[in-house]
Amino acid sequence: MERWRLLKNPRVLAGLGLVAVLLLASLWPATVTVDVARVTRGALRVTVDEEGETRVRRRFVVSAPVAGRVGRIDIEPGDSVDRGRTLLATFFPADPTPLDARTRAEATAAAAAARSSRDAARAERQRAEAASKLASSELRRARDLAGQQLLAPAELESREAQARSAEEAFKAADYAAAAAEHQLQAAEARLAPPSTALGTRELEIRAPVSGVVLRRLRESESVVPAGQPLLELGDPSAVEIVSDLLSTDAVRVRAGQPVLIEHWGGEGTLKARVRRVEPSGFMKISALGVEEQRVNVVMDFEGPPEARRPLGDGYRVEVRIVVDEAADALKLPNSALFRRGEQWSTFVVEGGRARLRAVDLGRRNGVEAEVVKGPGEGALVVLHAGDRVSDGTRVAPREE
């Protein structure tokens, strides 16, 4: 009876209720605050990212034609030069060593071979010039026909590409002819005997091509051997990009794939296109001392030249080669994924609880992954789940 009277006491009943509430609260599972994101639909781009370097497409190295003394070279990097007109350096040839019969015969044959190479290079230059003029003429006629809607746009684009290719071939032939001319001069200089004026008079080395000075390899007056490089010339507006990729990434790259140029120092993103993946790789030691097998990938700029005008020779850029993309893909963040055995999985928030769901993936980049099979569009997934979240855990989205 005494026990029943105690149970009917309001204070005792209140105390028992408070104990029951505290016990229930201690046993009730805690709610975990998590970061969440939604499964969305949109564009997904898969890229190979790497650093690259710009370089002038065609370089011309001016070297000493014979052994002797070169005067001080005052022309500086960045100065413009005109072919055959700009004086690059003054050269004082050393007295040639008398040649024996065998050496003179070899030098005579080398000069004859260089003369034949010079003539062949000139003929090739004339042929390339004629082909360039013909391509330009055909392009003008094609544009007239296109203006009258008598020629398909695709055919006009083909004619423009042929004209550009012919112009580039003419430039290459022009450089080759200039190189052959200097090779002939070097071969003939070996035959000059000490009794001629060659050993006493100075030689003027003039620009073999038009462009700018890229590098000055020797500045002060000094004695140099034959073939010593003195200057590098080229056209800084005709630059390309070369990037050494890991061989495991290079196998996914093909000629013609688009490239995005970022973090190059200027505003916006430049566009380029893969021109060539070199067939031979090489070993490179990384900053961490790891041996890596690398492959050079060469890319050409696209778009107006004015956008990339600040870029010169040897500038650092970051390239993103687009190897795959989808315009309308169902995707979710990579941070929502984790491995469960051999299967990719994620946690979906349903009714305030985390539910484990298997996911089949398609394309992936460093940020997002394509969902082939799994949560549908709009589903809320948990980011960075960690070990505090399991199937059925109560979760609450973190408030931003």
Side-chain angles (χ1 to χ4, degrees), residues 59-395:
R59 314 173 77 90
F60 192 92
V61 179
V62 179
S63 57
V66 294
R69 179 170 54 87
V70 63
R72 180 179 178 84
I73 300 178
D74 294 323
I75 196 168
E76 297 183 355
D79 290 347
S80 298
V81 296
D82 293 329
R83 177 183 177 182
R85 302 177 64 180
T86 305
L87 177 64
L88 301 180
T90 303
F91 195 81
F92 302 91
D95 289 336
T97 304
L99 304 178
D100 55 35
R102 178 177 179 178
T103 304
R104 176 169 292 278
E106 292 176 350
T108 302
R115 190 174 297 106
S116 299
S117 298
R118 189 271 314 271
D119 295 341
R122 286 179 175 178
E124 176 61 21
R125 182 182 181 279
Q126 293 176 355
R127 186 202 64 77
E129 183 179 12
S132 178
K133 291 180 179 180
L134 177 61
S136 299
S137 177
E138 291 180 349
L139 177 59
R140 287 193 297 270
R141 288 194 294 270
R143 285 175 175 169
D144 293 339
L145 293 175
Q148 301 174 15
Q149 297 184 349
L150 297 177
L151 189 68
E155 182 65 21
L156 178 60
E157 293 179 358
S158 177
R159 297 291 177 84
E160 291 176 344
Q162 293 175 1
R164 288 194 299 268
S165 177
E167 183 180 359
E168 292 292 335
F170 171 60
K171 291 181 180 179
D174 192 24
Y175 286 135
E181 185 70 35
H182 281 75
Q183 290 172 358
L184 175 60
Q185 293 178 7
E188 290 178 341
R190 294 185 59 196
L191 295 172
S195 58
T196 64
L198 180 63
T200 58
R201 69 180 179 87
E202 65 182 36
L203 297 178
E204 292 183 344
I205 302 179
R206 297 189 176 273
V209 293
S210 297
V212 300
V213 178
L214 299 178
R215 297 174 61 195
R216 181 171 56 186
L217 304 175
R218 187 171 292 273
E219 179 180 359
S220 301
E221 179 177 343
S222 58
V223 176
V224 296
Q228 175 69 38
L230 304 176
L231 295 164
E232 281 190 9
L233 309 180
D235 182 4
S237 64
V239 295
E240 60 188 9
I241 307 167
V242 59
S243 178
D244 55 335
L245 304 182
L246 288 171
S247 59
T248 52
D249 291 332
V251 296
R252 298 190 290 162
V253 178
R254 297 288 183 273
Q257 289 177 337
V259 183
L260 304 177
I261 311 299
E262 300 177 342
H263 304 292
W264 56 280
E267 297 182 356
T269 299
L270 302 179
K271 294 183 178 180
R273 194 165 294 275
V274 176
R275 172 157 56 91
R276 181 176 67 253
V277 179
E278 294 187 353
S280 180
F282 58 93
M283 189 185 71
K284 182 178 180 181
I285 307 299
S286 70
L288 299 177
V290 180
E291 293 184 356
E292 298 175 339
Q293 207 64 22
R294 295 272 177 169
V295 178
N296 280 334
V297 177
V298 183
M299 294 151 274
D300 291 328
F301 281 104
E302 290 187 334
E306 293 77 13
R308 61 178 183 272
R309 191 176 301 278
L311 287 174
D313 179 51
Y315 284 44
R316 173 190 171 277
V317 296
E318 291 187 8
V319 300
R320 298 180 60 202
I321 304 174
V322 181
V323 296
D324 196 4
E325 60 182 335
D328 187 28
L330 188 65
K331 58 186 181 178
L332 80 171
N334 283 336
S335 56
L337 297 168
F338 56 91
R339 298 287 290 187
R340 190 176 179 87
E342 298 297 326
Q343 177 68 52
W344 284 104
S345 303
T346 188
F347 284 116
V348 179
V349 179
E350 295 179 350
R353 293 182 181 271
R355 299 299 181 185
L356 183 65
R357 295 288 184 270
V359 185
D360 291 341
L361 302 180
R363 304 174 179 87
R364 291 188 66 189
N365 58 26
V367 179
E368 299 172 314
E370 181 183 14
V371 178
V372 177
K373 182 179 179 182
E377 183 178 0
L380 205 62
V381 294
V382 178
L383 304 179
H384 312 290
D387 56 1
R388 295 194 305 156
V389 180
S390 59
D391 190 21
T393 301
R394 288 184 176 274
V395 293

Side-chain angles (χ1 to χ4, degrees), residues 43-57:
L44 180 65
R45 177 178 290 162
V46 182
T47 62
V48 173
D49 302 345
E50 188 55 78
E51 292 186 358
E53 181 179 319
T54 62
R55 68 181 182 188
V56 171
R57 185 174 299 174

